[in-house]
Amino acid sequence: MTSSRLTPRVRFLRRSGGLAEQRVWARLRAGAVDGWKVRRQHAIGPYVVDFACMPLWLVIEIDGGVHNTDEAMLNDHHRQQAIEALGWTVIRFTNAQALGEPGRIDDAIREQAKTLGL
């Protein structure tokens, strides 16, 4: 599936994001963490990720309760492997972590930049 075919899905996901995603986006938008630009609901291959920092090849996923089922965890695992095979680093946070410890997301972005020597 090309990214242009994903456009309607991306738009829907942007409008229907939960509270944790909205709070994370408010925190990350416009390069708020050390100037690193982040895209929301971004297509990578056939997948739509919650957040992508293109220069750092970093994907940030915010997992709500629906991700706690065995089927969802297996699907997330396969999806993450496929995205990582494309060269991306994927980090995951639960809704509770995103809402209660938002600084951890900032730290993860900084750590990825440091890992890449940027």
Side-chain angles (χ1 to χ4, degrees), residues 98-111:
L99 292 169
E101 305 171 73
R104 289 182 63 186
I105 297 169
D106 301 1
D107 293 343
I109 292 169
R110 290 183 180 114
E111 186 60 33

Side-chain angles (χ1 to χ4, degrees), residues 44-47 49 56-61 75-92 112:
I44 297 176
Y47 307 102
V49 299
L56 299 178
W57 284 73
L58 178 65
V59 168
I60 301 167
E61 292 283 80
N75 184 46
D76 286 345
H77 175 73
H78 290 299
R79 182 176 176 271
Q80 181 167 332
Q81 283 184 319
I83 293 168
E84 288 174 342
L86 295 172
W88 292 84
T89 297
V90 178
I91 56 172
R92 308 186 86 81
Q112 180 70 0

Side-chain angles (χ1 to χ4, degrees), residues 5 7 16 26 30 33 36 41 48-49 53 59 74 76 79 81 88-90 94 105 107 110 113-114 118:
R5 292 184 63 206
T7 300
S16 63
V33 177
W36 294 109
Q41 300 300 337
V48 177
V49 299
C53 182
V59 168
L74 183 61
D76 286 345
R79 182 176 176 271
Q81 283 184 319
W88 292 84
T89 297
V90 178
T94 64
I105 297 169
D107 293 343
R110 290 183 180 114
K114 192 161 106 180
L118 303 173

